[in-house]
Amino acid sequence: MEAGTVEVREFIRKEVEDWEDEDVGRARFKAFSGQRSDWEPTYRFWNRLLLSIARHFHLLIISPSQVKNIWFNRNGLTPLCLDQVLLEMYNEGEIVRCSDVMDPRSGRMSLLLRKFSNLMLRPTPSLQTLLQDRLVLTPLLKDKAVEIVKLLSESHWTSSCIVTMKKFHDICGGPEEASAVLSHLSETGKARYLSIHKKDFVEGIKVSLSSAPVSNISSLDCDVLHLVWTTERLQQQLDVIDRRCEMSRKTALAFLHSGNKKVALRHARELKLANESREKCASFLNRVEEVLSVIANAESTKKVSEAIQIGAKAMKENKISVEEVEFCLQELEESIESQKQVDKALESTPSYTDVEDEDIEEEFKKLELEVGSGNLQVPISQTGVDSKVGEVEALESPEYLSDALLNLKLSDNSTRESASKSPMLAMRQNKLKNLVLEAT
């Protein structure tokens, strides 16, 4: 997307209130000198302003000459420090030259070698070389890549999708932007380039729509790419036929109103042939879309089957029965329902913000009077304390534990019956029995 000069300058005036101030502008337009701490605030100002303009106008790639001589041209003066600002942004990784963007078409091995060389031996270009190239803004590139994946996930419900290169160019806003986005997605493992050489040369991209990296290209992916490319071609043909039908219909009506029935009849025949051709094309398009839908459903079924197999394997390895899993799920649902009820009760609790401070002070004074008169002082007898201590000692005595064991044996039959109904309950009661035996 190209931003007009007038629109950019209007945005700068709104973004920077003192943009027209001569003294402030003179200080900002000066070249950097001294230590970094001296010109750091000025650098941050230009950095934020440049990124703000690019985000507002959805610019992924900028031209240094346009930025310097057109955007920031104020009464014929251009920032002398802007070249250094761009160089610092390049060194910090906020901008990348278009010539440094990796081309996924070159092959996986070539991409790995180039990525390794850029990480280990990243050359710093000269200022002149940097200013002659077009620059990709890295923060906006990352945001654009996330936006593209989100847009594709809205129209695809599978874990990955395949789109043609033409479609990808349209989504990204152009071939240059698409190349930068594809390079970033390939580096992060979210996309892979693929092509087929049949009757026509078709290029496409496989994009992962989940958090997992994209899988390797298979023969099925190539077939899907060919089908997707076929649907796009058929849709284009349908659009052409629709325009032709509309034109033939309007022409036939015009000649019919003018009284030239012979020419009107000829255009009516063309309209009929165009409608028949459209029906055939639409039928073929529906068949191709049905095939793509079947493939997507098969992929989804495969994912579900794999998840079920993984769950069954985990249950077998951990020796967990289906009844125990169901019991745990039931307990979890009960806990969630209880938590919802607690949250609902807390939300429905009336607030005390409407209580007047005077009422609170009055109640507080009453409490003070009652405390002063000794109404709230309750004596604690020593006999009560001694009785509580005796009860605790009785609970810890061997006689009490023996009685508990005897009661446990008497109720053993009923316990077995309930255990047959609930395996988890039987496990808990066995643990209780063992604790009592250990205590005795």
Side-chain angles (χ1 to χ4, degrees):
M1 175 181 176
E2 292 293 336
T5 305
V6 178
E7 291 82 358
V8 172
R9 290 180 177 176
E10 286 295 329
F11 177 78
I12 293 175
R13 292 189 184 95
K14 293 179 181 180
E15 192 75 9
V16 184
E17 297 179 355
D18 55 356
W19 179 255
E20 299 295 340
D21 192 298
E22 292 293 335
D23 296 334
V24 177
R26 193 179 299 110
R28 288 173 178 162
F29 277 49
K30 290 193 306 182
F32 292 160
S33 61
Q35 298 180 355
R36 183 182 178 91
S37 58
D38 299 331
W39 45 265
E40 179 75 20
T42 306
Y43 164 69
R44 292 301 171 190
F45 166 80
W46 289 110
N47 182 300
R48 287 193 297 267
L49 182 58
L50 182 60
L51 294 178
S52 298
I53 295 173
R55 281 195 177 93
H56 182 77
F57 293 99
H58 307 286
L59 298 174
L60 185 61
I61 301 174
I62 60 174
S63 173
S65 59
Q66 182 186 25
V67 172
K68 181 178 180 181
N69 301 322
I70 299 178
W71 288 5
F72 299 141
N73 189 322
R74 191 171 63 87
N75 300 327
L77 299 176
T78 57
L80 299 177
C81 60
L82 192 60
D83 298 346
Q84 188 67 23
V85 170
L86 294 177
L87 184 60
E88 289 295 327
M89 291 180 67
Y90 177 84
N91 293 331
E92 293 180 358
E94 291 187 313
I95 60 175
V96 180
R97 296 186 303 168
C98 285
S99 57
D100 292 336
V101 174
M102 292 184 291
D103 187 7
R105 301 180 181 89
S106 57
R108 184 169 179 81
M109 186 58 65
S110 177
L111 289 175
L112 292 175
L113 292 175
R114 186 165 183 177
K115 185 176 180 180
F116 177 77
S117 61
N118 288 339
L119 290 175
M120 301 301 297
L121 303 171
R122 187 179 185 226
T124 302
S126 62
L127 185 59
Q128 190 67 22
T129 304
L130 183 65
L131 298 178
Q132 289 177 353
D133 204 343
R134 288 174 61 81
L135 305 176
V136 180
L137 299 171
T138 305
L140 275 71
L141 175 61
K142 296 178 180 179
D143 296 340
K144 186 69 173 180
V146 173
E147 179 184 346
I148 295 299
V149 174
K150 182 179 179 181
L151 183 63
L152 291 174
S153 62
E154 292 176 354
S155 56
H156 298 81
W157 51 272
T158 52
S159 59
S160 63
C161 69
I162 296 176
V163 294
T164 60
M165 186 63 72
K166 182 181 181 301
K167 180 70 173 179
F168 194 72
H169 286 178
D170 296 338
I171 296 175
C172 295
E176 199 173 26
E177 290 79 2
S179 178
V181 174
L182 178 57
S183 175
H184 175 72
L185 291 175
S186 300
E187 289 180 8
T188 55
K190 298 290 291 183
R192 288 183 185 274
Y193 169 82
L194 70 156
S195 61
I196 52 177
H197 302 266
K198 293 185 178 180
K199 187 177 179 180
D200 298 291
F201 177 68
V202 183
E203 295 179 296
I205 300 165
K206 184 178 182 181
V207 183
S208 173
L209 304 180
S210 62
S211 57
V214 66
S215 57
N216 295 327
I217 303 299
S218 62
S219 59
L220 179 61
D221 296 331
C222 296
D223 295 335
V224 171
L225 173 61
H226 190 265
L227 291 173
V228 172
W229 175 79
T230 304
T231 57
E232 293 181 2
R233 291 287 300 273
L234 291 174
Q235 188 61 53
Q236 293 174 3
Q237 191 173 353
L238 278 177
D239 295 339
V240 173
I241 294 174
D242 288 339
R243 290 193 296 266
R244 187 184 302 170
C245 290
E246 185 66 21
M247 187 180 298
S248 298
R249 188 181 66 83
K250 290 180 179 179
T251 306
L253 290 175
F255 280 106
L256 186 61
H257 290 161
S258 64
N260 195 343
K261 295 182 179 180
K262 185 177 181 179
V263 179
L265 183 60
R266 180 167 56 86
H267 285 286
R269 290 173 181 171
E270 291 180 358
L271 178 61
K272 183 178 180 181
L273 293 175
N275 285 329
E276 291 177 356
S277 178
R278 189 189 188 285
E279 290 179 359
K280 294 180 181 179
C281 186
S283 176
F284 190 30
L285 178 60
N286 291 333
R287 288 168 58 189
V288 175
E289 290 179 345
E290 287 178 2
V291 173
L292 288 173
S293 178
V294 169
I295 294 174
N297 291 334
E299 181 183 354
S300 177
T301 304
K302 181 181 177 182
K303 295 290 184 183
V304 173
S305 177
E306 291 177 353
I308 293 175
Q309 291 178 1
I310 293 173
K313 183 179 179 181
M315 291 173 59
K316 186 176 181 180
E317 291 178 351
N318 293 277
K319 298 180 180 179
I320 301 175
S321 63
V322 179
E323 291 78 6
E324 292 175 346
V325 174
E326 291 179 353
F327 184 81
C328 292
L329 291 176
Q330 184 179 359
E331 282 192 338
L332 181 60
E333 290 179 358
E334 293 176 356
S335 300
I336 294 174
E337 187 64 26
S338 300
Q339 184 63 36
K340 289 181 180 179
Q341 293 178 2
V342 171
D343 295 339
K344 187 176 180 180
L346 292 175
E347 291 177 358
S348 62
T349 302
S351 60
Y352 299 94
T353 56
D354 298 336
V355 181
E356 298 293 339
D357 294 340
E358 296 178 357
D359 298 337
I360 297 176
E361 292 180 358
E362 184 177 353
E363 293 293 332
F364 185 71
K365 289 180 180 180
K366 291 180 180 180
L367 289 175
E368 286 182 340
L369 292 175
E370 292 178 0
V371 172
S373 60
N375 293 332
L376 297 179
Q377 294 180 0
V378 180
I380 301 175
S381 62
Q382 184 64 29
T383 58
V385 175
D386 294 340
S387 64
K388 295 295 181 180
V389 173
E391 291 178 1
V392 173
E393 291 178 353
L395 288 173
E396 295 179 352
S397 63
E399 292 79 3
Y400 178 80
L401 294 177
S402 299
D403 294 338
L405 179 59
L406 182 60
N407 293 332
L408 181 62
K409 291 180 179 179
L410 291 174
S411 60
D412 187 54
N413 293 328
S414 61
T415 303
R416 290 175 182 173
E417 293 178 358
S418 60
S420 62
K421 298 180 181 179
S422 177
M424 295 298 295
L425 182 61
M427 293 169 60
R428 294 175 180 175
Q429 291 175 347
N430 289 333
K431 290 182 179 179
L432 177 61
K433 185 188 296 184
N434 292 334
L435 290 175
V436 174
L437 290 173
E438 291 176 359
T440 56

PDB file of all heavy atoms in Angstrom, residues 393-407:
ATOM      1  N   GLU A 393      -7.188 -36.891  74.270  1.00  0.00           N
ATOM      2  CA  GLU A 393      -6.383 -38.029  74.683  1.00  0.00           C
ATOM      3  C   GLU A 393      -7.136 -39.337  74.450  1.00  0.00           C
ATOM      4  O   GLU A 393      -6.544 -40.366  74.081  1.00  0.00           O
ATOM      5  CB  GLU A 393      -6.023 -37.883  76.156  1.00  0.00           C
ATOM      6  CG  GLU A 393      -5.042 -36.722  76.398  1.00  0.00           C
ATOM      7  CD  GLU A 393      -4.749 -36.567  77.872  1.00  0.00           C
ATOM      8  OE1 GLU A 393      -5.408 -37.260  78.691  1.00  0.00           O
ATOM      9  OE2 GLU A 393      -3.845 -35.753  78.224  1.00  0.00           O
ATOM     10  N   ALA A 394      -8.465 -39.328  74.653  1.00  0.00           N
ATOM     11  CA  ALA A 394      -9.252 -40.545  74.432  1.00  0.00           C
ATOM     12  C   ALA A 394      -9.248 -40.936  72.973  1.00  0.00           C
ATOM     13  O   ALA A 394      -9.212 -42.115  72.632  1.00  0.00           O
ATOM     14  CB  ALA A 394     -10.691 -40.317  74.916  1.00  0.00           C
ATOM     15  N   LEU A 395      -9.296 -39.947  72.079  1.00  0.00           N
ATOM     16  CA  LEU A 395      -9.288 -40.250  70.645  1.00  0.00           C
ATOM     17  C   LEU A 395      -7.964 -40.869  70.230  1.00  0.00           C
ATOM     18  O   LEU A 395      -7.906 -41.661  69.284  1.00  0.00           O
ATOM     19  CB  LEU A 395      -9.542 -38.982  69.835  1.00  0.00           C
ATOM     20  CG  LEU A 395     -10.977 -38.437  69.892  1.00  0.00           C
ATOM     21  CD1 LEU A 395     -11.043 -37.092  69.186  1.00  0.00           C
ATOM     22  CD2 LEU A 395     -11.950 -39.421  69.254  1.00  0.00           C
ATOM     23  N   GLU A 396      -6.881 -40.490  70.922  1.00  0.00           N
ATOM     24  CA  GLU A 396      -5.569 -41.015  70.568  1.00  0.00           C
ATOM     25  C   GLU A 396      -5.229 -42.307  71.293  1.00  0.00           C
ATOM     26  O   GLU A 396      -4.158 -42.869  71.083  1.00  0.00           O
ATOM     27  CB  GLU A 396      -4.500 -39.968  70.875  1.00  0.00           C
ATOM     28  CG  GLU A 396      -4.642 -38.701  70.016  1.00  0.00           C
ATOM     29  CD  GLU A 396      -3.591 -37.683  70.353  1.00  0.00           C
ATOM     30  OE1 GLU A 396      -2.860 -37.913  71.352  1.00  0.00           O
ATOM     31  OE2 GLU A 396      -3.472 -36.655  69.648  1.00  0.00           O
ATOM     32  N   SER A 397      -6.088 -42.813  72.165  1.00  0.00           N
ATOM     33  CA  SER A 397      -5.766 -44.005  72.958  1.00  0.00           C
ATOM     34  C   SER A 397      -5.893 -45.259  72.118  1.00  0.00           C
ATOM     35  O   SER A 397      -6.633 -45.303  71.134  1.00  0.00           O
ATOM     36  CB  SER A 397      -6.720 -44.080  74.157  1.00  0.00           C
ATOM     37  OG  SER A 397      -8.051 -44.227  73.683  1.00  0.00           O
ATOM     38  N   PRO A 398      -5.196 -46.360  72.492  1.00  0.00           N
ATOM     39  CA  PRO A 398      -5.284 -47.633  71.757  1.00  0.00           C
ATOM     40  C   PRO A 398      -6.683 -48.238  71.824  1.00  0.00           C
ATOM     41  O   PRO A 398      -7.108 -48.918  70.895  1.00  0.00           O
ATOM     42  CB  PRO A 398      -4.246 -48.513  72.453  1.00  0.00           C
ATOM     43  CG  PRO A 398      -3.310 -47.553  73.117  1.00  0.00           C
ATOM     44  CD  PRO A 398      -4.150 -46.382  73.523  1.00  0.00           C
ATOM     45  N   GLU A 399      -7.414 -48.044  72.986  1.00  0.00           N
ATOM     46  CA  GLU A 399      -8.739 -48.613  73.086  1.00  0.00           C
ATOM     47  C   GLU A 399      -9.657 -48.046  72.020  1.00  0.00           C
ATOM     48  O   GLU A 399     -10.468 -48.754  71.404  1.00  0.00           O
ATOM     49  CB  GLU A 399      -9.327 -48.330  74.496  1.00  0.00           C
ATOM     50  CG  GLU A 399      -8.626 -49.076  75.611  1.00  0.00           C
ATOM     51  CD  GLU A 399      -7.310 -48.416  76.019  1.00  0.00           C
ATOM     52  OE1 GLU A 399      -7.017 -47.359  75.441  1.00  0.00           O
ATOM     53  OE2 GLU A 399      -6.596 -48.958  76.885  1.00  0.00           O
ATOM     54  N   TYR A 400      -9.549 -46.717  71.758  1.00  0.00           N
ATOM     55  CA  TYR A 400     -10.421 -46.088  70.751  1.00  0.00           C
ATOM     56  C   TYR A 400     -10.095 -46.634  69.369  1.00  0.00           C
ATOM     57  O   TYR A 400     -11.000 -46.888  68.566  1.00  0.00           O
ATOM     58  CB  TYR A 400     -10.233 -44.576  70.795  1.00  0.00           C
ATOM     59  CG  TYR A 400     -11.060 -43.866  69.748  1.00  0.00           C
ATOM     60  CD1 TYR A 400     -12.428 -43.635  69.958  1.00  0.00           C
ATOM     61  CD2 TYR A 400     -10.477 -43.462  68.551  1.00  0.00           C
ATOM     62  CE1 TYR A 400     -13.185 -43.003  68.999  1.00  0.00           C
ATOM     63  CE2 TYR A 400     -11.238 -42.835  67.592  1.00  0.00           C
ATOM     64  CZ  TYR A 400     -12.599 -42.592  67.814  1.00  0.00           C
ATOM     65  OH  TYR A 400     -13.344 -41.963  66.852  1.00  0.00           O
ATOM     66  N   LEU A 401      -8.810 -46.841  69.062  1.00  0.00           N
ATOM     67  CA  LEU A 401      -8.423 -47.360  67.761  1.00  0.00           C
ATOM     68  C   LEU A 401      -8.902 -48.789  67.594  1.00  0.00           C
ATOM     69  O   LEU A 401      -9.287 -49.219  66.502  1.00  0.00           O
ATOM     70  CB  LEU A 401      -6.911 -47.282  67.594  1.00  0.00           C
ATOM     71  CG  LEU A 401      -6.329 -45.868  67.542  1.00  0.00           C
ATOM     72  CD1 LEU A 401      -4.805 -45.933  67.458  1.00  0.00           C
ATOM     73  CD2 LEU A 401      -6.887 -45.108  66.350  1.00  0.00           C
ATOM     74  N   SER A 402      -8.893 -49.590  68.679  1.00  0.00           N
ATOM     75  CA  SER A 402      -9.390 -50.967  68.592  1.00  0.00           C
ATOM     76  C   SER A 402     -10.882 -50.990  68.291  1.00  0.00           C
ATOM     77  O   SER A 402     -11.365 -51.792  67.482  1.00  0.00           O
ATOM     78  CB  SER A 402      -9.105 -51.700  69.903  1.00  0.00           C
ATOM     79  OG  SER A 402      -7.702 -51.743  70.140  1.00  0.00           O
ATOM     80  N   ASP A 403     -11.629 -50.123  68.997  1.00  0.00           N
ATOM     81  CA  ASP A 403     -13.065 -50.038  68.728  1.00  0.00           C
ATOM     82  C   ASP A 403     -13.330 -49.642  67.285  1.00  0.00           C
ATOM     83  O   ASP A 403     -14.247 -50.140  66.633  1.00  0.00           O
ATOM     84  CB  ASP A 403     -13.727 -49.028  69.668  1.00  0.00           C
ATOM     85  CG  ASP A 403     -13.668 -49.495  71.117  1.00  0.00           C
ATOM     86  OD1 ASP A 403     -13.517 -50.721  71.321  1.00  0.00           O
ATOM     87  OD2 ASP A 403     -13.762 -48.633  72.019  1.00  0.00           O
ATOM     88  N   ALA A 404     -12.512 -48.711  66.776  1.00  0.00           N
ATOM     89  CA  ALA A 404     -12.693 -48.274  65.376  1.00  0.00           C
ATOM     90  C   ALA A 404     -12.436 -49.421  64.433  1.00  0.00           C
ATOM     91  O   ALA A 404     -13.132 -49.597  63.432  1.00  0.00           O
ATOM     92  CB  ALA A 404     -11.763 -47.105  65.069  1.00  0.00           C
ATOM     93  N   LEU A 405     -11.399 -50.249  64.754  1.00  0.00           N
ATOM     94  CA  LEU A 405     -11.107 -51.403  63.907  1.00  0.00           C
ATOM     95  C   LEU A 405     -12.246 -52.415  63.959  1.00  0.00           C
ATOM     96  O   LEU A 405     -12.615 -53.017  62.945  1.00  0.00           O
ATOM     97  CB  LEU A 405      -9.787 -52.049  64.357  1.00  0.00           C
ATOM     98  CG  LEU A 405      -9.356 -53.289  63.575  1.00  0.00           C
ATOM     99  CD1 LEU A 405      -9.178 -52.963  62.100  1.00  0.00           C
ATOM    100  CD2 LEU A 405      -8.057 -53.858  64.165  1.00  0.00           C
ATOM    101  N   LEU A 406     -12.817 -52.622  65.135  1.00  0.00           N
ATOM    102  CA  LEU A 406     -13.922 -53.550  65.273  1.00  0.00           C
ATOM    103  C   LEU A 406     -15.131 -53.100  64.465  1.00  0.00           C
ATOM    104  O   LEU A 406     -15.777 -53.883  63.776  1.00  0.00           O
ATOM    105  CB  LEU A 406     -14.303 -53.683  66.764  1.00  0.00           C
ATOM    106  CG  LEU A 406     -15.451 -54.678  67.069  1.00  0.00           C
ATOM    107  CD1 LEU A 406     -15.074 -56.082  66.612  1.00  0.00           C
ATOM    108  CD2 LEU A 406     -15.762 -54.646  68.561  1.00  0.00           C
ATOM    109  N   ASN A 407     -15.425 -51.798  64.535  1.00  0.00           N
ATOM    110  CA  ASN A 407     -16.541 -51.252  63.745  1.00  0.00           C
ATOM    111  C   ASN A 407     -16.280 -51.399  62.264  1.00  0.00           C
ATOM    112  O   ASN A 407     -17.189 -51.630  61.466  1.00  0.00           O
ATOM    113  CB  ASN A 407     -16.776 -49.785  64.083  1.00  0.00           C
ATOM    114  CG  ASN A 407     -17.276 -49.607  65.500  1.00  0.00           C
ATOM    115  OD1 ASN A 407     -17.929 -50.504  66.052  1.00  0.00           O
ATOM    116  ND2 ASN A 407     -16.957 -48.462  66.100  1.00  0.00           N
TER     117      ASN A 407
END
